[in-house]
Amino acid sequence: MINVVFVCLGNICRSPTAEGVFRGLVHDAGLDQDIHIDSAGTHAYHVGSPPDARAQAEAKRRGNDISHLRGRQACTADFQKFDYVLAMDGQNHQNLLKICPPEHLEKLYMFLDFAPALGIRDVPDPYYEGGFDGVYDMIEDAAKGLLADIQKKHL
Ligand code: 4NP
């Protein structure tokens, strides 16, 4: 089993979107039993909350239901439990570095590094600025790259 967790700031916009998108790809590839998927936020503002209504609406528009997800905060134990800890931007990468045990540093990734053609490393934070449509597209690109990486290296 390969364990994957997507991490943003609030765990209500970008990372639950990534969780839903990636779960769809994994399901379509027939790999539900091989890849475990979760998401978390580096801050605790929205612990226990469902995804932001705008993130839910964008996912629904693309045929993906993420309404059941609930926010939780990332923690040091996540680096024991997960093989891939995927930071949505540099700020969250920094936050994760502070709680990552040194022996697990190789598990910490910038999510968009799995979509190098995009030419950027940060998924823009849509909470204040909007842009959920474009964020969803970026997340789809990187999720495809991530799945290809896992299939090549582990499955
Ligand atoms: P997310 O977006 O990190 O993609 O879930 C945000 C959600 C909430 C806040 C910031 C970003 N906030 O400041 O409450």
Side-chain angles (χ1 to χ4, degrees), residues 8-14 45-46 125 127-128:
C8 62
L9 191 64
N11 193 207
I12 56 167
C13 297
R14 292 164 291 178
Y45 312 129
H46 299 285
D125 181 350
Y127 185 72
Y128 293 110

Side-chain angles (χ1 to χ4, degrees), residues 15-37:
S15 62
T17 297
E19 179 177 348
V21 167
F22 192 61
R23 183 161 285 129
L25 293 178
V26 165
H27 180 74
D28 291 347
L31 295 171
D32 291 330
Q33 304 308 313
D34 300 292
I35 303 179
H36 170 73
I37 308 160

Side-chain angles (χ1 to χ4, degrees), residues 26-98:
V26 165
H27 180 74
D28 291 347
L31 295 171
D32 291 330
Q33 304 308 313
D34 300 292
I35 303 179
H36 170 73
I37 308 160
D38 196 6
S39 65
T42 58
H43 279 261
Y45 312 129
H46 299 285
V47 169
S49 299
D52 185 282
R54 297 164 295 172
Q56 287 194 45
E58 187 58 36
K60 193 172 173 188
R61 197 171 76 78
R62 314 277 194 122
N64 204 330
D65 181 4
I66 60 170
S67 62
H68 60 287
L69 299 178
R70 294 295 179 266
R72 75 167 181 90
Q73 189 171 20
C75 60
T76 295
D78 286 331
F79 287 96
Q80 270 100 45
K81 188 169 170 192
F82 292 95
D83 305 294
Y84 287 77
V85 179
L86 298 142
M88 289 291 146
D89 63 20
Q91 178 191 3
N92 287 296
H93 189 275
Q94 287 291 324
N95 292 344
L96 287 164
L97 268 181
K98 289 180 197 147

